[in-house]
Amino acid sequence: MKIFRWILGIIILSILAYFNFFVYEGEIIFKLINVILFASLFVLYRVIFGPSAADRIVSIDIFGVLIIGLLAIIGLFYDESFYMDIALIWGLMSFIASLAFAKILERRHLDD
Amino acid sequence: MIREIIGYGLIYIGIAFDFFGVLGLVRLPDIYNRLQAATKSVTFGTGGILLGIFILQGFNNFGFKAILGIIFIFLTSPTAAHAISHAAHRSNIKLDEKTVVDQYAEDNENKE
Amino acid sequence: MSLKNRSRMAVFFLSLLVWFMLTDITDLQEVILGTIVAIFVSLVAGHFLITTEKRHHIFRRIGYSLLYIVKFTWEIIKANVHVAYLVVHPKVPINPGIVKIKTKLTKESAMTILANSITLTPGTLTVDINPEKQELYIHCIDVHSKKIEDNTKDIGNRFEKILMEIFE
């Protein structure tokens, strides 16, 4: 049963990769951005169906780091350096949010 | 020419490891294993993307911001992982059935 | 120069460097504003960076820092190949558990860097630090033995010698 699900996943991922890299006609950077967006879909799966609250916090933390890479690639395409400013601020806010969520999960106060 | 090959190669490798990390977030069984796979791979992947952008852009404003982003990610991402895992263990989230040994819980029981 | 003033000088130059990385260095306005802000920051919060005297000379510590960065990069590449192998394997061959190791480091900054390095190296994640007893609790994805000495030799000793030279 497990091996069947593994083979099914491999088939679905290879179909998606084929459509992304060989059928879709766009700039090479848009193909790379599509891969990061697929990864964000997996993160959203863990946010929605995660069994416990800690799984959702981990997903939000990982999502913030993925967004940094995505904004950096968009900035490389448009050749504008202010996207990197947005990425740094996003990472800072995401880090503080993860720490605050962790403290709330532990049932401590923020000034502890 | 050689600079573009190295830069785009680093960006490809980074996006591949981002994808593997998010796949680990979906496939592994309990929160600690998910945290391990996701933190390691996504941190390394985003660091690779930013290093590739620094090599492509050279010593200008964009490149220096990418270097700051690398330092920032490598300092904050393990700290957030440590806070979340500590909070999850304090709030009694169960480990997986495959777990062999838990010396942290044994020590906490002896103290109380 | 006293220790506090040396720490304030270090904070001043570091914050000025970060400001020049973020903005344009050829503009005179930015340079003046950055200098004023860096002086303000180093006067208010400058004395937290360096608090104890170190044993070795600064050049020796910089050399060991470069060695540490090379070793850390190699370990992190190994860690990522390991994670990729685990994730694409059909049966997910893991054997997890939380173990305890001992460390010889005493400074808190050195223990923080050690915990962050352990989180990013193959198969390990720091769960808690006990600074008084010098113990670390580590979640391993692949437990080999349950003895403290074996795990200390496997996990902690990879970085401990270099960090001892840098921070103690």
Side-chain angles (χ1 to χ4, degrees):
Chain A
M1 193 59 208
K2 219 169 187 180
I3 199 91
F4 175 71
R5 273 171 62 192
W6 185 73
I7 293 172
L8 194 68
I10 288 284
I11 290 172
I12 290 175
L13 283 183
S14 30
I15 288 173
L16 285 178
Y18 174 72
F19 272 102
N20 187 24
F21 285 105
F22 297 107
V23 175
Y24 171 64
E25 293 175 350
E27 297 272 346
I28 188 76
I29 284 187
F30 287 150
K31 296 178 182 175
L32 298 183
I33 286 175
N34 282 341
V35 177
I36 296 186
L37 292 179
F38 285 142
S40 305
L41 275 186
F42 284 126
V43 175
L44 284 183
Y45 168 80
R46 191 47 81 192
V47 170
I48 295 169
F49 296 104
S52 66
D55 290 306
R56 300 190 168 102
I57 297 172
V58 173
S59 315
I60 295 298
D61 185 31
I62 296 307
F63 191 64
V65 185
L66 276 181
I67 289 292
I68 294 178
L70 178 67
L71 282 172
I73 293 177
I74 294 176
L76 181 69
F77 177 64
Y78 288 110
D79 206 6
E80 294 274 359
S81 75
F82 69 83
Y83 282 99
M84 208 55 225
D85 292 338
I86 304 172
L88 285 175
I89 299 297
W90 187 298
L92 195 65
M93 294 311 246
S94 153
F95 171 59
I96 294 173
S98 316
L99 288 189
F101 278 135
K103 284 216 165 185
I104 288 172
L105 185 69
E106 218 172 337
R107 291 191 176 72
R108 274 155 58 185
H109 291 289
L110 287 183
D111 54 353
D112 201 3
Chain B
M1 189 61 206
I2 189 105
R3 214 168 84 176
E4 287 194 351
I5 292 175
I6 294 176
Y8 276 106
L10 278 175
I11 290 177
Y12 272 100
I13 292 172
I15 286 177
F17 276 111
D18 267 2
F19 194 76
F20 281 135
V22 175
L23 211 57
L25 188 68
V26 175
R27 284 199 71 198
L28 289 176
D30 72 340
I31 170 165
Y32 304 97
N33 297 318
R34 280 174 199 153
L35 201 52
Q36 281 208 25
T39 303
K40 275 177 202 123
S41 287
V42 175
T43 306
F44 178 70
T46 308
I49 292 172
L50 293 177
L51 191 65
I53 284 174
F54 172 68
I55 289 174
L56 282 177
Q57 290 282 331
F59 289 94
N60 59 9
N61 210 351
F62 202 159
F64 284 139
K65 277 176 195 169
I67 288 289
L68 270 185
I70 293 177
I71 298 171
F72 178 75
I73 289 173
F74 272 82
L75 281 179
T76 58
S77 179
T79 314
H82 163 64
I84 293 170
S85 67
H86 186 235
H89 204 286
R90 281 285 186 85
S91 64
N92 293 325
I93 290 176
K94 291 278 187 295
L95 282 86
D96 192 55
E97 297 97 26
K98 287 182 187 171
T99 303
V100 183
V101 59
D102 189 356
Q103 291 176 345
Y104 188 42
E106 291 168 12
D107 282 10
N108 279 350
E109 280 171 8
N110 289 338
K111 212 186 312 176
E112 281 160 7
Chain C
M1 203 187 294
S2 74
L3 201 63
K4 248 181 194 178
N5 283 336
R6 226 169 57 199
S7 168
R8 281 188 179 130
M9 288 290 284
V11 170
F12 174 74
F13 282 115
L14 271 180
S15 48
L16 205 60
L17 184 68
V18 171
W19 178 272
F20 286 148
M21 275 180 163
L22 283 176
T23 56
D24 194 3
I25 197 170
T26 55
D27 196 352
L28 189 63
Q29 266 185 354
E30 304 270 10
V31 174
I32 294 172
L33 186 63
T35 314
I36 293 172
V37 172
I39 288 173
F40 181 70
V41 167
S42 59
L43 282 182
V44 171
H47 53 278
F48 295 120
L49 185 63
I50 305 173
T51 51
T52 51
E53 289 282 351
K54 304 290 192 291
R55 204 168 55 204
H56 295 302
H57 196 263
I58 180 79
F59 291 121
R60 186 177 162 141
R61 287 172 59 208
I62 288 175
Y64 272 101
S65 307
L66 293 179
L67 181 66
Y68 171 75
I69 289 174
V70 171
K71 190 169 169 54
F72 181 63
T73 314
W74 173 239
E75 291 283 339
I76 200 172
I77 289 171
K78 268 200 309 194
N80 281 286
V81 173
H82 181 232
V83 166
Y85 166 72
L86 281 185
V87 166
V88 301
H89 197 281
K91 281 182 193 164
V92 192
I94 59 173
N95 188 19
I98 295 180
V99 300
K100 179 165 80 172
I101 70 167
K102 283 195 174 297
T103 174
K104 295 195 207 79
L105 302 168
T106 51
K107 303 273 195 315
E108 283 191 353
S109 55
M111 289 179 78
T112 310
I113 299 288
L114 179 67
N116 277 0
S117 314
I118 283 173
T119 298
L120 288 175
T121 47
T124 50
L125 169 82
T126 311
V127 176
D128 199 3
I129 306 178
N130 193 347
E132 288 95 27
K133 291 185 185 171
Q134 299 181 343
E135 290 167 349
L136 282 88
Y137 295 95
I138 288 175
H139 180 269
C140 278
I141 213 166
D142 210 354
V143 178
H144 294 299
S145 77
K146 295 180 185 176
K147 287 181 186 167
I148 296 176
E149 294 83 19
D150 294 350
N151 289 322
T152 305
K153 208 193 301 176
D154 275 353
I155 298 164
N157 285 3
R158 283 184 291 205
F159 297 110
E160 211 166 44
K161 274 180 191 167
I162 304 176
L163 283 177
M164 200 84 122
E165 296 284 340
I166 297 173
F167 281 101
E168 297 283 318

